[in-house]
C-alpha cells in the first residue's frame, strides 16, 4: 500500500508542476531590459520591467545572470 501512495504522490507532483499560467520556458533576462552588471548602475527599473513583462505574459522566468547588480526595491 505504501509504494502505491508514494507513486501516486510523485505522479501528482509531476502533473502539478507542468501546469502553469503561461509558458514556463519563457525567460526574461534583466539585461534585455537595460540592467548592467557593473555594481554602479541602478538596475531596479530593469529588474522591475522584466518582472512586469513576465506577469503580463502570464508567467515565465526572470533571469538575473551572474554579476554585481545594484538594486533597490522591486515589487
Amino acid at each position: 500500500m505504501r509504494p502505491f501512495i508514494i507513486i501516486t504522490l510523485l505522479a501528482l507532483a509531476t502533473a502539478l508542476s507542468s501546469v502553469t499560467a503561461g509558458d514556463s520556458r519563457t525567460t526574461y533576462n534583466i539585461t534585455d531590459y537595460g540592467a548592467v552588471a557593473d555594481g554602479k548602475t541602478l538596475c531596479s527599473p530593469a529588474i522591475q520591467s522584466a518582472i512586469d513583462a513576465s506577469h503580463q505574459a502570464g508567467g515565465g522566468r526572470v533571469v538575473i545572470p551572474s554579476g554585481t547588480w545594484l538594486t533597490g526595491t522591486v515589487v
Side-chain angles (χ1 to χ4, degrees):
M1 182 71 165
R2 188 172 196 91
F4 175 75
I5 293 172
I6 293 171
I7 291 171
T8 304
L9 289 175
L10 287 174
L12 181 61
T14 302
L16 289 176
S17 68
S18 66
V19 176
T20 59
D23 186 0
S24 63
R25 295 173 294 174
T26 303
T27 58
Y28 301 87
N29 192 316
I30 64 170
T31 58
D32 295 337
Y33 295 86
V36 180
D38 61 4
K40 298 176 185 176
T41 305
L42 184 64
C43 298
S44 304
I47 295 169
Q48 187 66 58
S49 293
I51 292 169
D52 292 342
S54 173
H55 175 74
Q56 290 296 320
R61 190 178 332 191
V62 175
V63 176
I64 301 176
S66 297
T68 303
W69 306 95
L70 178 63
T71 185
T73 304
V74 292
V75 214

